[in-house]
Structure formats: structure tokens, C-alpha cells
Amino acid sequence: MTSCSFSLHGIGVSGGIAIGKTRLVSHATLDVSQYSIAPEHVSAEQNRLDKAIIDVRRELQVLRQEMAATELADDIDAFIDVQETLLNDVSLTEDTKAYIAEHGCNAEWALVQKMDAWIALFGQIEDEYLRDRKFDVMQVVERIVKQLMGKAVDSLPETSSDPHTILIAHDLSPADLLQFKHRRFAAFVTDLGGATSHTAIVARSLGVPALVGMRMARQIVHEGETVIVDGDQNCIIVNPSRVVLAQYRALYQKQKARREALMSLVRRRSKTRDDVDISLTVNIEIPDDLSLALKVGAQGIGLFRTEFLYLNQKTLPDEHTQFLAYRRVVRGIKGKPVILRTLDLGYDKINAQVDMLARVMPNPALGLRAIRLCFAEPELFTIQLRAILRASAYGKLKIMIPMLSSVSEIEQTFDAINAVKKTLAEENIAFDRDIEIGAMIEVPAAALAITPFLKNFSFLSIGTNDLIQYMLAIDRADEAVAQLYDPVHPAMLKLLAHVIKSANRAKVPISMCGEMAGNPEMTRLLLGLGLRHFSMPASTLLAVKERVINTDISALKKLADRILRCTQPTKIQALIAEINSL
Ligand code: PEP
Ligand code: MG
């Protein structure tokens, strides 16, 4: 039987073409079905459970070995220790076996029923740490269920990685995705998410084609099917015909050749035809991302999203752990600047296991996020500031503060930094006393009332991902409103022009580190608006550089002004196409 070919459309968050076989990333406990087991088969069913538990133990050992040499080794070790303890707990096996016997049901069903009861019990525990172990229970059960169902398709750890695998998931948190950084696969597809959701950002940093907001892909596509992922046309083609496959193979080869050609730009100076230097830096999430930044010839790190160090953790990283991570980055970039953003933990970065910060959840995008969380948890902030300042003794480190919106927050920020500087000085600990402090402009209030930001900070960086979200009232993580998320909405362009112009006039360096900065289609428009510093995912840097090198800035101004005056979206698009064809 030949499988029928069909296509699904979503939101491309990382361009390019991939061809491979699907691997479904699942939450098996949701898929469990119930069936009866005859009394004479109960003990065989119980043995099936024992075997699955043994297999999971083995799987965890393999994972431990695989991750031993990586940055995540310590965290993974701690995580596996807890899971092994739970696997060894007699109540997991004995209670489940008793349930199988009592109800004459299959092992998967019994496990999930017991899991619900255990979770309820954990929920009543007062101690927060112990209460949180319910998430470990859920994960362990998930693993066993997968083994029982004969699909050791794992949401995270796999025993191998395959460069031809296309991962299909309903949704994954950025924390989950971080672990994929150590695996190789061809492309990534999720049902949920918008183009600038943090899951999408991490997916993009993996440098493979990625699509989000596919809605039903996880349900419709089957394990092991051939799929083409077209990150440029925002679609996947499942079971393509031979003709389509041949066409895409040709396109894939062309794309590969182009990528190789772009590599020739690595050593080229980033300046326009009319000799204007444009700085191109890279956004990173974890220190391991440095290698890609160096490979594409980045002029520094324009945004280090430090909150990713806090994900996948059972406890918050202490000062020393953070210090080592920051020092590794600042040393690794070989004298170039690193802009380290203080903790920006927010709703869509937090996975269920990190519910020590669960109170950021109710209306998370507008809630206790980023600097607000740091002010609410001063110890958290102090520990991070100490680690950053200590690392500043080892290179060119700058601090950047996210989500600021008012003068009082600016004052509070400087008070906190100065207090930490004072104690470090008293303790005779080395740090850069003149460390530059910058702010993200990502709340419309800061963008409009920008004067105090210009007065107080050494540099600014526009976070378009959030600025667009707040300006247009569109949740960046919600694919249901993704079509409204428009970086070139007339209001956005006016706001961007105002911010860039104000900063340039005040001679305060202004950069952009939102995803817009990494879109080569936007490069000329932004240059025309006066932007000279860009920070983006490493995977897009060379394409942006190519645009920069082929641009004459003096020719852009007139068209950029026309775009700014325009209120018709279709006209704006046409003018952007025109500016790109100059
Ligand atoms: C932004 O908001 O544009 C940004 C760069 O920060 P993040 O995407 O991490 O919120
Ligand atoms: Mg932001």
C-alpha cells in the first residue's frame, strides 16, 4: 500500500530544507489505552512491567554516559539519580502489580492510574522540594509507559541521534529543546508556538530548518514516514511523490552549495559598500553555543540569554556555577565583547519541573518576569550579579537588563548593581569597576519615554520579540494569533524609528537583538532607519552580512522614509521588496 502524500502548513522559524524520516516526540502517558488481562495472564503482565523497568534503567545509564562529557553532565546526573531512586522504589513496582491483579488490566493503564494517585499524594506534601518530586514521578512513569508500548521514542534522551531524523512534537519547552542541542537531527516541527516564542528561538539556534504552529502535525503524521520540511515555504510534505522528492533533493543541494558559499564571507569585514561599519554579533543561550558564534565570525555576543542556565535544574545554579559559565563565554570569545543579559525567566521558558517559579504563571507575559522577578527575589539577583561581576575580570563583559519600563526600576537596578560592587570591593574580589550597563528596550513605555534610558545606560538593545508582543497585544507564543504578529506594522516601524533616532542623536549605541535583526529581508530597512548594530542567531549571521556588504546606505534613506510614512501593509511589503532589490 502506498501512503498518500499531503502537506501541512505552519510558521517557519528557521529556513532551509530537510528531508528525512519522522520521529514522534510524545507524551506517552496521554496515549495509553486500557484493556483487560485474563487472570491466567496477570503474572505475565506483571513480568512485562518488570522488564520495562529494567529497560528504563538501562536507558538512563546510556543517557548518563552520553551526557558525561557535555556541559549538562552535572544536571543530567542529578536528574538521573532521582529517576533511578524512584525506579527502585518498591511501591512503584509492587503497587502497580497489585493494581494489575486487582483490576485485571494492562500494565500501562495500571501505571498511569497509580501515577495519578501518587501525584495527588505529593501534592499534599508541605515541603516544596518534596512536593516537586511529583514531576519526577511523571517523567519516570512516562518512560516506563513508552517501553511498555514498545516505542522508546523519548521526548528527550535518545540513545542515538540521527542527522536524517525529523522531530515532530506537539509542544516542547525551551528547557526540553536545550537537551536537543547535543543531538543531531535534520529538522524540527511542533504543533504549538509562534515565530518568536522561546521554543522557536532555541530551535533556530540549532541551525536546522524548523516549523512551529503546525497545529495537528503530531496527530496526523506517523512515526517513520518520509517528510520534507521546507522552512522557507512554511510547510512540510508528508510521503512526497517521487517527482516532488527529486525536486526537493535538487533544491536541497542548491541550498547546501549556498551555505558553503556564505562561509566564504566569514573573514570579510562587515561594512557596507559606502564604507559604513556594521557590527554583527550573535545571540546565545548556553556556553556551548560559542563554537557556532566563532565559526560564523561573530564580532561578539550581543545577547547571552542567561536564564537558560536556570532551566532543567532541580535547584537554582549557585554563584560559582554561574561564574564558571560566564567566564567560559567571556574567555572563549577571545577578547570580543559579551553582553550578558540578567535573568529573564518568563512563562514560556519554564517547564513544569521548575515550579519554584510557578508564581510567574497567571498572566505570565505581563507578570513577574525578568527584572521584576529579580527585584522580587533580591537574593537571586545578587547571586547572579556577583557571578557576572566576578567573570568581568576575565574579558570584555557588559551587563544588560531586560524588561525595564520606568525610572524607579532604573534606579533600583543601579542600586542593586552598586551594592554588589561594593561588597565585592570589600571582599577584595576582582571585577571590572567600569563595566558597561545597558538596557533592553522591549516594553513600549521604555521605547516611547526613552530619555531616562539614554541618560543612564551605556548602551541599549531593542528586543523586538517582546516589543512587538506588547505593542500589538499579541502573545508571541500563541500560534492562534501568529498571523497578527507583524514586525513591520506601521506602529512598530514608527516606534523603531523613534528609538533608533533618539539613541543615535544622544550618541548612545543602540542595537537590536530580537529575531527581526536576523532576518536578511529586514536588514536594509533597519539600516535605512539608522541601525548599525545587530545581534542574531548564529545561523542567520552570514546571510545578513551578505546583505550588509551589498548595500549602499546612502541609497536607502529615501525609501526607508517612504516606508515609515506608509500605512498600508501591502504597500509596506512592496516597498520593502523594492528596498531589497536596490
Ligand atoms: C526580545 O524580546 O526581543 C529578546 C531579544 O529577548 P527574548 O526573546 O529572550 O525575550
Ligand atoms: Mg525579551
Side-chain angles (χ1 to χ4, degrees):
M1 194 181 78
T2 51
S3 319
C4 81
S5 174
F6 61 94
S7 64
L8 295 172
H9 292 254
I11 305 163
V13 295
S14 184
I17 289 157
I19 303 169
K21 295 271 185 213
T22 55
R23 189 92 197 250
L24 303 186
V25 179
S26 68
H27 288 285
T29 46
L30 301 177
D31 298 337
V32 161
S33 54
Q34 178 188 16
Y35 54 91
S36 302
I37 299 290
E40 65 271 26
H41 293 136
V42 160
S43 85
E45 190 64 11
Q46 292 169 330
N47 291 344
R48 206 163 71 84
L49 176 71
D50 283 337
K51 182 176 175 311
I53 292 176
I54 292 169
D55 288 344
V56 170
R57 274 203 200 101
R58 201 171 300 131
E59 187 184 286
L60 288 174
Q61 278 164 14
V62 172
L63 174 65
R64 201 194 284 275
Q65 284 160 8
E66 271 195 354
M67 302 299 276
T70 73
E71 172 91 349
L72 298 169
D74 287 349
D75 306 329
I76 293 287
D77 267 350
F79 154 83
I80 292 176
D81 286 348
V82 175
Q83 300 227 331
E84 281 179 338
T85 309
L86 289 169
L87 281 174
N88 293 335
D89 192 320
V90 284
S91 57
L92 183 89
T93 35
E94 298 314 314
D95 289 7
T96 311
K97 283 181 181 175
Y99 195 98
I100 295 171
E102 196 183 326
H103 293 85
C105 67
N106 53 319
E108 296 89 328
W109 185 257
L111 251 182
V112 172
Q113 304 318 301
K114 290 308 297 176
M115 176 181 80
D116 290 343
W118 292 319
I119 287 172
L121 277 179
F122 273 100
Q124 290 162 14
I125 298 175
E126 234 173 67
D127 181 281
E128 198 177 325
Y129 177 80
L130 289 179
R131 202 169 54 232
D132 287 352
R133 293 316 99 213
K134 67 174 180 246
F135 297 114
D136 295 298
V137 174
M138 284 157 76
Q139 286 193 350
V140 165
V141 170
E142 169 102 359
R143 276 173 197 284
I144 305 171
V145 166
K146 279 177 177 164
Q147 284 294 344
L148 285 165
M149 290 166 82
K151 44 176 177 178
V153 187
D154 218 329
S155 67
L156 303 173
E158 292 172 32
T159 48
S160 66
S161 49
D162 178 351
H164 302 296
T165 296
I166 312 273
L167 295 176
I168 314 256
H170 180 61
D171 187 24
L172 282 178
S173 71
D176 290 339
L177 257 187
L178 266 193
Q179 294 185 38
F180 284 125
K181 289 210 175 197
H182 298 280
R183 315 238 166 247
R184 288 188 65 208
F185 53 90
F188 182 81
V189 172
T190 62
D191 289 346
L192 302 185
T196 60
S197 64
H198 284 97
T199 300
I201 288 170
V202 181
R204 196 172 293 124
S205 79
L206 300 172
V208 294
L211 289 161
V212 298
M214 299 291 291
R215 289 166 186 248
M216 303 285 281
R218 173 65 185 77
Q219 220 176 313
I220 298 174
V221 181
H222 298 117
E223 180 83 6
E225 284 184 310
T226 300
V227 162
I228 296 167
V229 177
D230 187 336
D232 302 316
Q233 299 301 320
N234 302 335
C235 67
I236 64 171
I237 302 164
V238 185
N239 298 317
S241 67
R242 290 220 321 250
V243 177
V244 172
L245 203 54
Q247 281 170 346
Y248 265 98
R249 287 211 169 108
L251 269 176
Y252 177 79
Q253 289 306 331
K254 235 169 120 180
Q255 169 195 295
K256 211 167 136 205
R258 171 157 164 77
R259 262 203 312 266
E260 281 159 17
L262 279 178
M263 284 310 285
S264 68
L265 300 180
V266 169
R267 287 183 202 292
R268 279 277 291 275
R269 202 171 131 196
S270 172
K271 61 170 181 148
T272 60
R273 273 200 206 127
D274 44 350
D275 233 12
V276 180
D277 281 315
I278 305 297
S279 92
L280 302 180
T281 57
V282 154
N283 299 346
I284 64 167
E285 278 80 49
I286 54 174
D288 278 359
D289 292 341
L290 257 187
S291 52
L292 203 54
L294 292 168
K295 193 170 158 207
V296 298
Q299 288 165 262
I301 303 299
L303 169 65
F304 177 4
R305 291 183 163 98
T306 60
E307 57 277 6
F308 282 83
L309 296 174
Y310 292 68
L311 302 183
N312 295 324
Q313 303 292 328
K314 296 295 163 202
T315 54
L316 294 172
D318 61 18
E319 179 184 322
H320 189 64
T321 310
Q322 291 188 52
F323 163 69
L324 292 179
Y326 304 153
R327 189 180 64 177
R328 193 177 145 209
V329 172
V330 84
R331 277 180 167 170
I333 198 79
K334 301 183 175 126
K336 292 172 184 150
V338 174
I339 298 180
L340 197 151
R341 180 176 74 184
T342 57
L343 185 64
D344 181 3
L345 266 184
Y347 63 110
D348 70 342
K349 288 177 187 141
I350 297 169
N351 62 1
Q353 290 119 59
V354 193
D355 83 339
M356 58 200 161
L357 296 164
R359 61 202 178 90
V360 291
M361 298 299 267
N363 192 347
L366 304 175
L368 198 58
R369 177 190 157 181
I371 191 66
R372 303 167 182 184
L373 181 70
C374 290
F375 290 153
E377 301 283 348
E379 206 189 321
L380 192 75
F381 198 30
T382 302
I383 290 171
Q384 184 175 39
L385 288 173
R386 282 182 64 94
I388 298 173
L389 284 164
R390 283 174 54 200
S392 72
Y394 294 85
K396 218 168 162 194
L397 201 59
K398 307 179 190 191
I399 300 178
M400 181 156 74
I401 312 292
M403 286 282 291
L404 287 168
S405 62
S406 69
V407 171
S408 68
E409 285 177 339
I410 296 176
E411 286 165 0
Q412 213 176 333
T413 298
F414 280 94
D415 287 349
I417 296 173
N418 289 335
V420 174
K421 279 180 163 180
K422 187 163 173 275
T423 25
L424 286 178
E426 281 161 8
E427 292 168 20
N428 278 325
I429 294 176
F431 66 95
D432 176 4
R433 284 164 199 258
D434 300 317
I435 190 164
E436 284 185 33
I437 299 166
M440 291 204 58
I441 301 296
E442 54 184 345
V443 178
L448 282 167
I450 198 166
T451 310
F453 290 84
L454 296 169
K455 281 198 175 130
N456 286 286
F457 291 100
S458 309
F459 64 93
L460 301 177
S461 188
I462 309 171
T464 46
N465 305 338
D466 278 313
L467 193 56
I468 298 167
Q469 149 166 279
Y470 298 127
M471 185 73 180
L472 304 183
I474 291 154
D475 185 341
R476 61 193 267 198
D478 185 353
E479 80 284 354
V481 286
Q483 77 285 3
L484 300 172
Y485 192 92
D486 181 10
V488 293
H489 186 291
M492 268 314 297
L493 293 179
K494 285 190 172 51
L495 194 64
L496 289 178
H498 163 71
V499 170
I500 296 168
K501 198 169 162 191
S502 310
N504 286 344
R505 203 185 287 139
K507 298 199 173 13
V508 174
I510 177 99
S511 148
M512 179 180 286
C513 60
E515 297 303 292
M516 192 177 180
N519 180 355
E521 300 303 307
M522 295 291 136
T523 307
R524 285 190 173 162
L525 170 62
L526 294 171
L527 289 170
L529 295 181
L531 194 72
R532 300 293 178 260
H533 306 276
F534 296 67
S535 192
M536 67 201 83
S539 56
T540 63
L541 188 137
L542 292 173
V544 170
K545 191 175 198 177
E546 186 185 42
R547 269 296 152 88
V548 166
I549 290 169
N550 293 320
T551 294
D552 204 330
I553 285 201
S554 54
L556 300 178
K557 177 101 180 66
K558 251 182 155 165
L559 254 178
D561 283 348
R562 269 182 72 198
I563 294 173
L564 262 188
R565 282 196 303 273
C566 195
T567 52
Q568 279 299 324
T570 46
K571 189 80 200 290
I572 291 177
Q573 291 300 344
L575 288 170
I576 291 174
E578 197 178 328
I579 211 171
N580 286 335
S581 65
L582 283 178

